Amino acid sequence: MIEKQGLYDPAFEHDACGVGFIAKIDGEKSHDIVKDGVQILCNLEHRGAVGGDMKTGDGAGMLLQIPHKFFKKVCSFNLPEVGEYGAGMLFLPRDEKRAKEAIKLTEKVLKQENVKLLGWRDVPVNPECLGEQALSVMPSFKQLFISIKGLSGDDLERKLYVIRKILENEANKEGFPQEEYYFPSLSSRTFIYKGMFVSAQFETFYPDITDPDFESAIALVHQRYSTNTFPTWPLAQPFRYIAHNGEINTLRRNVNNMKAREATLKSDLFGDELKRMFPIACAKGSDSAAFDNVYELITQGGRSLEHGIMMMIPEAFGTKYHISEDKRAFYEYHSAVMEPWDGPAAMAFTDGTKIGATLDRSGLRPARYTITRDGKIILGSETGIIDVPGPNVLSKGRLAPGGMIVVDTAKNRVLTDREVKSMVSRKKPYRRWLEQNVIHLKGLLGTSGSIQVDGETLALRLRTFGYTLEDIHT
Protein backbone atom coordinates (compact mmCIF):
# COMPACT_ATOMS: atom_id res chain seq x y z
CA MET A 1 0.00 0.00 0.00
CA ILE A 2 1.42 3.38 -1.05
CA GLU A 3 1.39 5.90 1.78
CA LYS A 4 0.03 9.42 1.50
CA GLN A 5 2.83 11.88 0.78
CA GLY A 6 2.88 15.51 -0.29
CA LEU A 7 -0.04 16.27 -2.58
CA TYR A 8 -0.57 12.59 -3.34
CA ASP A 9 -3.37 10.72 -1.58
CA PRO A 10 -4.03 7.08 -2.57
CA ALA A 11 -7.69 7.58 -1.62
CA PHE A 12 -8.11 9.62 -4.82
CA GLU A 13 -6.46 7.05 -7.08
CA HIS A 14 -8.53 5.91 -10.08
CA ASP A 15 -8.14 3.04 -12.51
CA ALA A 16 -8.51 3.62 -16.22
CA CYS A 17 -8.64 1.68 -19.51
CA GLY A 18 -5.84 -0.64 -20.49
CA VAL A 19 -4.35 -0.05 -23.94
CA GLY A 20 -1.38 -1.67 -25.60
CA PHE A 21 0.08 -2.95 -28.84
CA ILE A 22 2.74 -5.25 -30.20
CA ALA A 23 4.15 -5.02 -33.70
CA LYS A 24 6.83 -6.65 -35.81
CA ILE A 25 8.93 -3.73 -36.99
CA ASP A 26 9.79 -5.33 -40.35
CA GLY A 27 6.10 -5.98 -41.10
CA GLU A 28 6.40 -9.77 -41.12
CA LYS A 29 3.02 -11.34 -40.38
CA SER A 30 2.74 -14.26 -37.98
CA HIS A 31 0.28 -15.93 -35.64
CA ASP A 32 2.74 -15.31 -32.79
CA ILE A 33 1.95 -11.59 -32.89
CA VAL A 34 -1.75 -12.40 -32.55
CA LYS A 35 -1.09 -14.73 -29.60
CA ASP A 36 1.08 -12.08 -27.95
CA GLY A 37 -1.71 -9.55 -28.49
CA VAL A 38 -4.16 -11.85 -26.72
CA GLN A 39 -1.70 -12.26 -23.85
CA ILE A 40 -1.31 -8.49 -23.53
CA LEU A 41 -5.09 -8.11 -23.49
CA CYS A 42 -5.45 -10.73 -20.76
CA ASN A 43 -2.71 -9.08 -18.70
CA LEU A 44 -4.67 -5.82 -18.86
CA GLU A 45 -7.85 -7.40 -17.50
CA HIS A 46 -7.50 -5.58 -14.16
CA ARG A 47 -7.96 -2.26 -15.98
CA GLY A 48 -11.53 -3.07 -17.00
CA ALA A 49 -14.72 -3.08 -14.97
CA VAL A 50 -16.92 -6.13 -14.34
CA GLY A 51 -20.71 -6.14 -13.97
CA GLY A 52 -22.76 -7.50 -11.11
CA ASP A 53 -22.88 -10.96 -12.69
CA MET A 54 -19.05 -11.02 -12.48
CA LYS A 55 -18.84 -12.05 -16.15
CA THR A 56 -19.97 -8.96 -18.09
CA GLY A 57 -17.17 -6.56 -18.95
CA ASP A 58 -17.10 -2.97 -20.18
CA GLY A 59 -15.60 -4.17 -23.43
CA ALA A 60 -12.43 -5.59 -24.93
CA GLY A 61 -11.07 -6.04 -28.40
CA MET A 62 -8.23 -6.26 -30.86
CA LEU A 63 -7.38 -4.45 -34.10
CA LEU A 64 -5.20 -6.38 -36.56
CA GLN A 65 -4.13 -6.40 -40.16
CA ILE A 66 -6.55 -8.25 -42.42
CA PRO A 67 -5.82 -11.99 -41.93
CA HIS A 68 -5.85 -12.68 -45.67
CA LYS A 69 -4.45 -16.22 -45.42
CA PHE A 70 -7.15 -17.14 -42.88
CA PHE A 71 -9.99 -15.56 -44.85
CA LYS A 72 -8.94 -17.33 -48.07
CA LYS A 73 -9.13 -20.63 -46.19
CA VAL A 74 -12.51 -20.16 -44.46
CA CYS A 75 -14.52 -18.20 -47.04
CA SER A 76 -16.69 -20.24 -49.41
CA PHE A 77 -16.06 -17.77 -52.24
CA ASN A 78 -12.95 -16.50 -54.00
CA LEU A 79 -11.12 -13.46 -52.68
CA PRO A 80 -8.89 -11.12 -54.71
CA GLU A 81 -5.32 -10.45 -53.64
CA VAL A 82 -4.76 -8.68 -50.33
CA GLY A 83 -5.30 -4.93 -50.64
CA GLU A 84 -7.76 -5.34 -53.53
CA TYR A 85 -10.89 -6.01 -51.48
CA GLY A 86 -12.57 -4.71 -48.36
CA ALA A 87 -13.53 -6.84 -45.38
CA GLY A 88 -15.80 -5.77 -42.56
CA MET A 89 -17.26 -6.98 -39.30
CA LEU A 90 -20.93 -6.09 -38.92
CA PHE A 91 -23.06 -6.14 -35.75
CA LEU A 92 -26.70 -6.93 -36.63
CA PRO A 93 -29.97 -7.39 -34.69
CA ARG A 94 -30.44 -10.61 -32.71
CA ASP A 95 -33.93 -10.99 -34.16
CA GLU A 96 -33.58 -13.10 -37.31
CA LYS A 97 -36.21 -11.20 -39.28
CA ARG A 98 -34.66 -7.82 -38.42
CA ALA A 99 -31.19 -9.14 -39.28
CA LYS A 100 -32.40 -10.28 -42.72
CA GLU A 101 -33.92 -6.85 -43.31
CA ALA A 102 -30.59 -5.20 -42.40
CA ILE A 103 -28.68 -7.52 -44.73
CA LYS A 104 -31.16 -6.81 -47.54
CA LEU A 105 -30.73 -3.08 -46.99
CA THR A 106 -26.94 -3.47 -47.08
CA GLU A 107 -27.02 -5.39 -50.37
CA LYS A 108 -29.40 -2.82 -51.88
CA VAL A 109 -27.12 0.11 -51.01
CA LEU A 110 -24.02 -1.73 -52.26
CA LYS A 111 -25.72 -2.37 -55.60
CA GLN A 112 -26.74 1.29 -55.89
CA GLU A 113 -23.12 2.33 -55.24
CA ASN A 114 -21.74 -0.11 -57.87
CA VAL A 115 -19.94 -2.17 -55.24
CA LYS A 116 -19.43 -5.87 -55.92
CA LEU A 117 -20.53 -8.13 -53.06
CA LEU A 118 -18.04 -11.00 -52.89
CA GLY A 119 -19.91 -12.75 -50.09
CA TRP A 120 -21.00 -12.99 -46.48
CA ARG A 121 -19.48 -15.12 -43.73
CA ASP A 122 -21.16 -16.17 -40.51
CA VAL A 123 -18.85 -15.46 -37.58
CA PRO A 124 -18.36 -18.40 -35.22
CA VAL A 125 -18.86 -17.28 -31.61
CA ASN A 126 -19.21 -18.95 -28.21
CA PRO A 127 -21.75 -16.88 -26.25
CA GLU A 128 -21.74 -19.41 -23.39
CA CYS A 129 -18.75 -17.62 -21.87
CA LEU A 130 -20.63 -14.30 -21.57
CA GLY A 131 -22.35 -12.88 -18.54
CA GLU A 132 -26.13 -12.45 -18.48
CA GLN A 133 -25.98 -8.69 -19.02
CA ALA A 134 -23.71 -8.94 -22.06
CA LEU A 135 -25.71 -11.84 -23.49
CA SER A 136 -29.01 -9.97 -23.15
CA VAL A 137 -27.83 -7.23 -25.54
CA MET A 138 -25.51 -9.31 -27.74
CA PRO A 139 -25.96 -8.64 -31.47
CA SER A 140 -25.63 -11.20 -34.25
CA PHE A 141 -22.46 -11.14 -36.35
CA LYS A 142 -21.64 -11.18 -40.04
CA GLN A 143 -18.46 -10.59 -41.99
CA LEU A 144 -18.79 -8.77 -45.30
CA PHE A 145 -16.40 -8.93 -48.27
CA ILE A 146 -16.64 -6.46 -51.17
CA SER A 147 -14.58 -5.10 -54.05
CA ILE A 148 -14.80 -1.98 -56.18
CA LYS A 149 -13.71 -2.20 -59.81
CA GLY A 150 -10.50 -0.34 -60.58
CA LEU A 151 -9.74 0.65 -56.99
CA SER A 152 -6.94 -0.49 -54.69
CA GLY A 153 -4.60 1.00 -52.08
CA ASP A 154 -5.50 4.44 -50.69
CA ASP A 155 -8.29 4.96 -53.24
CA LEU A 156 -10.02 1.74 -52.19
CA GLU A 157 -9.58 2.53 -48.50
CA ARG A 158 -11.11 5.97 -48.95
CA LYS A 159 -14.06 4.59 -50.93
CA LEU A 160 -14.70 1.94 -48.27
CA TYR A 161 -14.87 4.74 -45.70
CA VAL A 162 -17.47 6.55 -47.80
CA ILE A 163 -19.47 3.36 -48.34
CA ARG A 164 -19.52 2.60 -44.62
CA LYS A 165 -20.79 6.07 -43.74
CA ILE A 166 -23.51 5.83 -46.41
CA LEU A 167 -24.57 2.40 -45.12
CA GLU A 168 -24.74 3.65 -41.53
CA ASN A 169 -26.81 6.69 -42.54
CA GLU A 170 -29.21 4.60 -44.63
CA ALA A 171 -29.63 2.07 -41.82
CA ASN A 172 -30.37 4.87 -39.39
CA LYS A 173 -33.03 6.27 -41.73
CA GLU A 174 -34.65 2.81 -41.87
CA GLY A 175 -34.90 2.63 -38.08
CA PHE A 176 -31.80 0.62 -37.21
CA PRO A 177 -30.04 2.27 -34.24
CA GLN A 178 -26.28 1.92 -33.73
CA GLU A 179 -26.84 -1.06 -31.39
CA GLU A 180 -28.52 -2.96 -34.26
CA TYR A 181 -26.35 -1.91 -37.20
CA TYR A 182 -22.70 -1.15 -36.60
CA PHE A 183 -19.44 -1.74 -38.45
CA PRO A 184 -16.53 -2.18 -36.03
CA SER A 185 -14.42 -2.07 -39.20
CA LEU A 186 -14.71 -2.00 -42.99
CA SER A 187 -11.28 -1.73 -44.53
CA SER A 188 -8.80 -3.22 -47.01
CA ARG A 189 -6.06 -3.11 -44.37
CA THR A 190 -7.41 -3.65 -40.86
CA PHE A 191 -9.95 -5.84 -39.12
CA ILE A 192 -11.46 -5.61 -35.63
CA TYR A 193 -12.80 -8.21 -33.25
CA LYS A 194 -14.38 -6.71 -30.14
CA GLY A 195 -17.31 -7.02 -27.78
CA MET A 196 -18.84 -6.44 -24.39
CA PHE A 197 -16.77 -8.87 -22.36
CA VAL A 198 -13.68 -8.99 -20.19
CA SER A 199 -10.37 -9.70 -21.89
CA ALA A 200 -10.12 -13.30 -20.65
CA GLN A 201 -13.30 -14.13 -22.62
CA PHE A 202 -12.02 -12.62 -25.88
CA GLU A 203 -10.26 -15.65 -27.35
CA THR A 204 -13.02 -18.02 -26.23
CA PHE A 205 -15.79 -15.89 -27.73
CA TYR A 206 -14.01 -15.46 -31.10
CA PRO A 207 -12.33 -18.81 -31.94
CA ASP A 208 -11.13 -17.31 -35.27
CA ILE A 209 -8.30 -15.74 -33.31
CA THR A 210 -6.85 -19.14 -32.36
CA ASP A 211 -6.41 -20.43 -35.91
CA PRO A 212 -2.69 -20.79 -36.84
CA ASP A 213 -3.39 -19.16 -40.22
CA PHE A 214 -4.76 -16.05 -38.52
CA GLU A 215 -1.71 -13.80 -39.00
CA SER A 216 -0.83 -10.15 -38.52
CA ALA A 217 2.24 -7.97 -38.02
CA ILE A 218 0.42 -5.69 -35.58
CA ALA A 219 -2.04 -6.20 -32.74
CA LEU A 220 -3.62 -3.20 -31.00
CA VAL A 221 -5.65 -4.19 -27.93
CA HIS A 222 -7.92 -2.44 -25.45
CA GLN A 223 -9.63 -3.33 -22.18
CA ARG A 224 -12.34 -0.77 -21.44
CA TYR A 225 -13.22 0.98 -18.21
CA SER A 226 -16.19 3.13 -19.24
CA THR A 227 -16.03 6.62 -17.80
CA ASN A 228 -18.41 8.76 -19.88
CA THR A 229 -20.92 6.21 -21.24
CA PHE A 230 -22.56 2.93 -20.31
CA PRO A 231 -21.02 -0.27 -21.74
CA THR A 232 -22.38 -1.36 -25.13
CA TRP A 233 -21.11 -3.69 -27.84
CA PRO A 234 -20.39 -0.88 -30.37
CA LEU A 235 -18.53 1.24 -27.81
CA ALA A 236 -15.99 -1.45 -26.99
CA GLN A 237 -12.56 -0.51 -28.31
CA PRO A 238 -10.42 -0.38 -30.43
CA PHE A 239 -12.25 1.83 -32.88
CA ARG A 240 -11.34 1.97 -36.56
CA TYR A 241 -8.10 3.89 -36.01
CA ILE A 242 -7.55 4.40 -32.29
CA ALA A 243 -7.63 2.93 -28.82
CA HIS A 244 -7.78 5.42 -25.98
CA ASN A 245 -7.04 5.51 -22.27
CA GLY A 246 -8.37 8.69 -20.67
CA GLU A 247 -11.10 11.26 -21.18
CA ILE A 248 -11.75 14.06 -23.66
CA ASN A 249 -12.88 16.89 -21.39
CA THR A 250 -13.79 19.24 -24.26
CA LEU A 251 -16.04 16.72 -26.03
CA ARG A 252 -19.22 18.79 -26.35
CA ARG A 253 -17.32 21.76 -27.74
CA ASN A 254 -15.34 19.57 -30.13
CA VAL A 255 -18.40 17.76 -31.49
CA ASN A 256 -20.42 20.99 -31.84
CA ASN A 257 -17.55 22.71 -33.65
CA MET A 258 -17.24 19.74 -35.99
CA LYS A 259 -20.95 19.91 -36.72
CA ALA A 260 -20.71 23.64 -37.41
CA ARG A 261 -17.81 23.31 -39.84
CA GLU A 262 -19.60 20.67 -41.93
CA ALA A 263 -21.16 23.56 -43.86
CA THR A 264 -17.74 24.66 -45.12
CA LEU A 265 -15.92 21.32 -45.47
CA LYS A 266 -14.46 20.66 -48.93
CA SER A 267 -12.17 17.98 -50.29
CA ASP A 268 -10.83 17.20 -53.75
CA LEU A 269 -10.46 13.56 -52.70
CA PHE A 270 -14.09 13.14 -51.62
CA GLY A 271 -15.76 15.65 -53.93
CA ASP A 272 -19.58 15.64 -53.80
CA GLU A 273 -19.61 12.44 -51.72
CA LEU A 274 -18.48 14.39 -48.66
CA LYS A 275 -21.97 15.64 -47.84
CA ARG A 276 -23.36 12.10 -47.95
CA MET A 277 -21.11 11.20 -45.02
CA PHE A 278 -22.51 13.76 -42.56
CA PRO A 279 -22.64 13.78 -39.61
CA ILE A 280 -18.92 13.16 -39.23
CA ALA A 281 -18.87 12.84 -35.43
CA CYS A 282 -21.55 10.64 -33.90
CA ALA A 283 -23.06 12.57 -30.99
CA LYS A 284 -24.40 9.32 -29.46
CA GLY A 285 -20.96 7.75 -29.18
CA SER A 286 -18.35 8.03 -26.46
CA ASP A 287 -15.61 10.64 -26.37
CA SER A 288 -13.20 8.11 -27.89
CA ALA A 289 -15.68 7.23 -30.65
CA ALA A 290 -16.14 10.91 -31.60
CA PHE A 291 -12.38 11.41 -31.66
CA ASP A 292 -12.02 8.39 -33.94
CA ASN A 293 -14.73 9.73 -36.28
CA VAL A 294 -12.90 13.02 -36.78
CA TYR A 295 -9.44 11.46 -36.92
CA GLU A 296 -10.70 9.10 -39.62
CA LEU A 297 -11.89 12.02 -41.75
CA ILE A 298 -8.59 13.87 -41.35
CA THR A 299 -6.45 10.90 -42.35
CA GLN A 300 -8.72 9.78 -45.19
CA GLY A 301 -8.76 13.40 -46.37
CA GLY A 302 -5.05 13.21 -47.21
CA ARG A 303 -3.12 13.91 -44.00
CA SER A 304 -0.77 11.35 -42.49
CA LEU A 305 -1.52 9.53 -39.23
CA GLU A 306 1.09 11.62 -37.41
CA HIS A 307 -0.19 14.88 -38.87
CA GLY A 308 -3.73 14.14 -37.74
CA ILE A 309 -2.68 13.29 -34.18
CA MET A 310 -0.55 16.45 -33.93
CA MET A 311 -3.55 18.52 -35.04
CA MET A 312 -5.96 16.98 -32.57
CA ILE A 313 -3.69 16.46 -29.56
CA PRO A 314 -1.06 19.24 -29.74
CA GLU A 315 1.81 19.43 -27.31
CA ALA A 316 2.33 22.62 -25.28
CA PHE A 317 3.69 25.18 -27.74
CA GLY A 318 3.57 28.62 -26.06
CA THR A 319 6.56 30.93 -26.26
CA LYS A 320 7.83 29.84 -22.84
CA TYR A 321 8.27 26.23 -24.01
CA HIS A 322 11.58 25.21 -25.56
CA ILE A 323 10.51 23.71 -28.89
CA SER A 324 11.68 24.40 -32.43
CA GLU A 325 10.24 27.32 -34.35
CA ASP A 326 9.02 24.92 -37.05
CA LYS A 327 7.00 22.92 -34.55
CA ARG A 328 5.62 26.03 -32.89
CA ALA A 329 4.58 27.38 -36.29
CA PHE A 330 2.89 24.07 -37.13
CA TYR A 331 0.84 24.10 -33.93
CA GLU A 332 -0.01 27.78 -34.17
CA TYR A 333 -1.14 27.40 -37.78
CA HIS A 334 -3.34 24.41 -36.99
CA SER A 335 -4.85 26.09 -33.93
CA ALA A 336 -6.73 28.23 -36.45
CA VAL A 337 -7.90 25.08 -38.28
CA MET A 338 -9.02 22.93 -35.35
CA GLU A 339 -9.37 23.29 -31.60
CA PRO A 340 -7.46 20.74 -29.45
CA TRP A 341 -9.21 17.68 -28.05
CA ASP A 342 -8.12 18.29 -24.47
CA GLY A 343 -8.04 15.92 -21.54
CA PRO A 344 -5.83 13.30 -19.92
CA ALA A 345 -5.21 10.89 -22.78
CA ALA A 346 -2.93 8.10 -23.95
CA MET A 347 -3.84 7.50 -27.57
CA ALA A 348 -2.68 4.53 -29.65
CA PHE A 349 -3.36 4.72 -33.38
CA THR A 350 -2.84 2.66 -36.54
CA ASP A 351 -3.84 2.42 -40.20
CA GLY A 352 -2.63 -1.14 -40.61
CA THR A 353 0.84 -0.13 -41.85
CA LYS A 354 1.95 2.41 -39.26
CA ILE A 355 1.20 2.08 -35.57
CA GLY A 356 2.04 4.52 -32.80
CA ALA A 357 1.00 6.27 -29.64
CA THR A 358 0.97 9.73 -28.11
CA LEU A 359 0.26 11.39 -24.76
CA ASP A 360 -1.61 14.61 -24.06
CA ARG A 361 0.48 17.66 -23.21
CA SER A 362 0.03 17.12 -19.45
CA GLY A 363 1.14 13.51 -19.61
CA LEU A 364 -1.44 12.34 -17.07
CA ARG A 365 -1.77 8.85 -18.58
CA PRO A 366 1.32 6.61 -18.79
CA ALA A 367 2.67 4.88 -21.89
CA ARG A 368 5.82 2.73 -21.73
CA TYR A 369 7.48 0.80 -24.51
CA THR A 370 10.09 -1.91 -25.07
CA ILE A 371 11.99 -2.64 -28.29
CA THR A 372 13.34 -6.19 -28.54
CA ARG A 373 16.38 -7.59 -30.29
CA ASP A 374 14.20 -9.89 -32.39
CA GLY A 375 12.51 -6.86 -33.98
CA LYS A 376 9.33 -6.27 -31.98
CA ILE A 377 7.99 -3.20 -30.23
CA ILE A 378 5.64 -3.47 -27.27
CA LEU A 379 3.81 -0.46 -25.84
CA GLY A 380 1.28 -0.34 -23.04
CA SER A 381 -0.38 1.72 -20.36
CA GLU A 382 1.94 0.05 -17.85
CA THR A 383 5.07 -2.08 -17.77
CA GLY A 384 4.95 -5.86 -17.66
CA ILE A 385 2.06 -6.30 -20.10
CA ILE A 386 4.00 -9.21 -21.59
CA ASP A 387 7.11 -11.09 -20.49
CA VAL A 388 10.29 -10.22 -22.38
CA PRO A 389 13.49 -12.04 -21.39
CA GLY A 390 16.19 -9.62 -20.27
CA PRO A 391 18.75 -10.57 -22.96
CA ASN A 392 16.12 -9.86 -25.64
CA VAL A 393 15.56 -6.23 -24.54
CA LEU A 394 17.22 -3.77 -26.89
CA SER A 395 15.85 -0.57 -25.34
CA LYS A 396 13.11 0.73 -23.07
CA GLY A 397 11.45 4.08 -22.65
CA ARG A 398 8.32 6.04 -21.88
CA LEU A 399 6.44 8.74 -23.68
CA ALA A 400 6.91 12.22 -22.22
CA PRO A 401 3.99 14.67 -21.96
CA GLY A 402 2.99 15.52 -25.53
CA GLY A 403 5.39 12.86 -26.83
CA MET A 404 4.85 10.43 -29.69
CA ILE A 405 6.36 7.25 -31.11
CA VAL A 406 5.55 5.71 -34.51
CA VAL A 407 6.44 2.37 -36.07
CA ASP A 408 6.41 2.21 -39.88
CA THR A 409 6.27 -1.47 -40.84
CA ALA A 410 6.60 -0.60 -44.55
CA LYS A 411 9.94 1.14 -43.94
CA ASN A 412 11.00 -1.16 -41.07
CA ARG A 413 11.61 1.82 -38.79
CA VAL A 414 10.81 3.11 -35.32
CA LEU A 415 10.43 6.90 -35.41
CA THR A 416 11.02 8.93 -32.27
CA ASP A 417 9.03 12.00 -31.25
CA ARG A 418 11.68 14.37 -32.62
CA GLU A 419 11.92 12.58 -35.98
CA VAL A 420 8.16 12.39 -36.47
CA LYS A 421 7.41 15.99 -35.60
CA SER A 422 10.36 17.38 -37.54
CA MET A 423 9.17 15.64 -40.70
CA VAL A 424 5.56 16.73 -40.29
CA SER A 425 6.25 20.33 -39.28
CA ARG A 426 8.70 20.88 -42.15
CA LYS A 427 6.59 19.30 -44.86
CA LYS A 428 4.85 22.64 -45.54
CA PRO A 429 6.08 26.24 -45.03
CA TYR A 430 3.96 26.91 -41.93
CA ARG A 431 6.28 29.66 -40.63
CA ARG A 432 6.03 31.60 -43.87
CA TRP A 433 2.27 31.12 -44.04
CA LEU A 434 1.93 32.53 -40.54
CA GLU A 435 4.16 35.53 -41.27
CA GLN A 436 2.18 36.36 -44.39
CA ASN A 437 -1.34 35.73 -43.13
CA VAL A 438 -1.65 35.92 -39.35
CA ILE A 439 -3.57 38.87 -37.95
CA HIS A 440 -3.02 39.78 -34.29
CA LEU A 441 -6.16 41.16 -32.66
CA LYS A 442 -4.20 43.03 -29.99
CA GLY A 443 -4.33 46.72 -30.91
CA LEU A 444 -6.17 45.98 -34.16
CA LEU A 445 -9.11 48.27 -33.44
CA GLY A 446 -7.01 51.05 -31.96
CA THR A 447 -9.62 51.69 -29.26
CA SER A 448 -8.77 54.26 -26.65
CA GLY A 449 -10.70 55.39 -23.63
CA SER A 450 -13.76 53.69 -22.20
CA ILE A 451 -15.97 51.31 -24.21
CA GLN A 452 -19.70 51.97 -24.27
CA VAL A 453 -21.77 48.91 -23.33
CA ASP A 454 -25.34 48.44 -24.46
CA GLY A 455 -26.88 47.14 -21.21
CA GLU A 456 -30.14 46.05 -22.83
CA THR A 457 -28.48 43.50 -25.15
CA LEU A 458 -25.45 42.59 -23.03
CA ALA A 459 -26.97 39.47 -21.46
CA LEU A 460 -28.11 38.19 -24.86
CA ARG A 461 -24.68 38.71 -26.40
CA LEU A 462 -22.93 37.03 -23.46
CA ARG A 463 -25.12 33.96 -23.88
CA THR A 464 -24.64 33.99 -27.65
CA PHE A 465 -20.85 33.86 -27.32
CA GLY A 466 -20.86 31.23 -24.59
CA TYR A 467 -19.95 33.32 -21.55
CA THR A 468 -20.85 31.88 -18.15
CA LEU A 469 -21.04 33.36 -14.64
CA GLU A 470 -17.58 31.94 -13.97
CA ASP A 471 -16.15 33.89 -16.93
CA ILE A 472 -17.74 37.12 -15.70
CA HIS A 473 -16.76 36.86 -12.03
CA THR A 474 -13.21 35.56 -12.44
Side-chain angles (χ1 to χ4, degrees):
M1 177 68 180
I2 302 175
E3 298 297 327
K4 179 178 178 180
Q5 51 183 320
L7 296 176
Y8 175 78
D9 187 340
F12 299 133
E13 189 64 71
H14 290 78
D15 277 333
C17 303
V19 62
F21 68 73
I22 183 168
K24 197 73 164 61
I25 297 170
D26 63 5
E28 179 187 0
K29 294 183 178 182
S30 72
H31 185 60
D32 287 340
I33 290 292
V34 179
K35 289 196 296 185
D36 286 343
V38 173
Q39 186 61 56
I40 291 172
L41 186 58
C42 290
N43 288 343
L44 290 170
E45 183 176 0
H46 63 282
R47 282 186 167 262
V50 182
D53 57 13
M54 301 309 294
K55 292 178 69 178
T56 297
D58 272 2
M62 181 183 295
L63 186 158
L64 312 109
Q65 293 172 321
I66 281 190
H68 178 66
K69 184 178 178 181
F70 171 77
F71 283 150
K72 286 205 74 169
K73 181 177 76 172
V74 298
C75 288
S76 59
F77 43 88
N78 293 326
L79 288 176
E81 292 303 308
V82 64
E84 296 180 1
Y85 67 94
M89 177 76 90
L90 179 58
F91 291 173
L92 291 165
R94 279 279 290 277
D95 181 77
E96 189 175 342
K97 182 181 177 182
R98 290 275 290 170
K100 286 181 178 179
E101 291 173 355
I103 291 171
K104 186 177 180 180
L105 172 67
T106 303
E107 293 177 347
K108 175 185 174 183
V109 173
L110 292 177
K111 187 175 181 180
Q112 291 172 347
E113 299 298 322
N114 297 316
V115 175
K116 182 180 180 181
L117 175 63
L118 300 174
W120 294 93
R121 175 179 180 251
D122 292 322
V123 186
V125 295
N126 293 316
E128 297 82 9
C129 69
L130 297 179
E132 292 181 10
Q133 296 171 8
L135 189 59
S136 67
V137 292
M138 186 187 79
S140 60
F141 308 89
K142 284 278 191 180
Q143 287 172 349
L144 170 70
F145 299 84
I146 58 179
S147 65
I148 303 173
K149 187 176 181 180
L151 294 185
S152 61
D154 290 342
D155 293 332
L156 175 59
E157 193 69 7
R158 190 172 296 111
K159 185 64 176 179
L160 290 172
Y161 168 51
V162 174
I163 293 297
R164 195 200 81 230
K165 295 290 287 186
I166 292 172
L167 283 169
E168 290 171 342
N169 287 339
E170 289 299 316
N172 185 260
K173 289 178 185 177
E174 294 298 320
F176 291 96
Q178 180 176 266
E179 290 75 17
E180 291 190 344
Y181 193 93
Y182 177 78
F183 280 96
S185 62
L186 179 61
S187 169
S188 63
R189 295 169 179 162
T190 60
F191 205 85
I192 294 174
Y193 285 79
K194 68 178 185 177
M196 194 173 145
F197 35 72
V198 294
S199 56
Q201 298 166 337
F202 174 71
E203 195 176 32
T204 304
F205 187 81
Y206 288 122
D208 282 358
I209 300 292
T210 63
D211 193 291
D213 289 327
F214 198 104
E215 298 177 338
S216 177
I218 65 169
L220 172 60
V221 302
H222 189 274
Q223 170 65 68
R224 188 170 186 241
Y225 185 97
S226 56
T227 50
N228 296 314
T229 57
F230 284 109
T232 68
W233 283 81
L235 292 183
Q237 296 187 42
F239 291 109
R240 288 116 190 176
Y241 275 77
I242 65 103
H244 172 218
N245 170 26
E247 299 87 39
I248 304 297
N249 294 334
T250 55
L251 178 64
R252 183 175 296 180
R253 180 199 69 184
N254 294 132
V255 171
N256 287 342
N257 285 348
M258 197 66 214
K259 179 68 176 176
R261 63 169 62 95
E262 286 177 358
T264 57
L265 284 179
K266 292 181 181 179
S267 171
D268 293 335
L269 293 174
F270 290 117
D272 294 336
E273 289 186 321
L274 186 61
K275 289 183 172 57
R276 302 179 66 194
M277 295 152 53
F278 296 160
I280 298 300
C282 178
K284 296 180 181 178
S286 63
D287 52 354
S288 307
F291 184 100
D292 183 75
N293 293 154
V294 177
Y295 184 51
E296 187 176 32
L297 176 72
I298 290 172
T299 53
Q300 293 287 5
R303 292 179 171 89
S304 67
L305 281 186
E306 309 93 300
H307 190 148
I309 284 290
M310 289 173 66
M311 280 180 63
M312 296 182 71
I313 309 180
E315 64 177 289
F317 63 92
T319 53
K320 67 178 182 179
Y321 295 98
H322 298 291
I323 64 173
S324 72
E325 289 301 316
D326 288 324
K327 270 205 298 183
R328 183 175 286 113
F330 173 91
Y331 288 125
E332 188 175 345
Y333 174 86
H334 284 89
S335 67
V337 177
M338 171 171 283
E339 65 289 337
W341 291 61
D342 271 339
M347 192 75 68
F349 52 89
T350 183
D351 63 357
T353 301
K354 295 177 182 177
I355 187 166
T358 191
L359 290 188
D360 70 282
R361 54 192 168 190
S362 298
L364 296 176
R365 291 289 186 269
R368 297 181 177 273
Y369 63 87
T370 300
I371 300 174
T372 66
R373 294 187 185 277
D374 60 355
K376 297 175 183 176
I377 181 169
I378 302 148
L379 182 142
S381 46
E382 58 194 80
T383 56
I385 57 173
I386 195 169
D387 293 332
V388 180
N392 192 30
V393 175
L394 179 63
S395 64
K396 291 183 176 182
R398 67 177 182 86
L399 295 186
M404 184 188 300
I405 191 169
V406 175
V407 184
D408 190 333
T409 62
K411 296 181 179 178
N412 308 339
R413 288 198 61 197
V414 177
L415 303 172
T416 64
D417 180 74
R418 182 174 295 180
E419 290 177 281
V420 171
K421 292 176 178 174
S422 291
M423 286 191 294
V424 174
S425 60
R426 293 173 182 172
K427 197 168 184 179
K428 299 289 184 182
Y430 297 110
R431 291 170 68 179
R432 189 170 77 239
W433 289 349
L434 281 175
E435 291 169 357
Q436 294 175 351
N437 298 289
V438 71
I439 298 173
H440 294 285
L441 295 180
K442 185 178 180 181
L444 178 66
L445 302 178
T447 304
S448 60
S450 60
I451 299 175
Q452 299 299 318
V453 177
D454 183 357
E456 293 184 3
T457 62
L458 179 59
L460 175 62
R461 285 182 286 140
L462 287 173
R463 287 196 299 271
T464 301
F465 289 97
Y467 281 84
T468 66
L469 289 175
E470 286 186 359
D471 296 317
I472 297 171
H473 294 303
T474 56

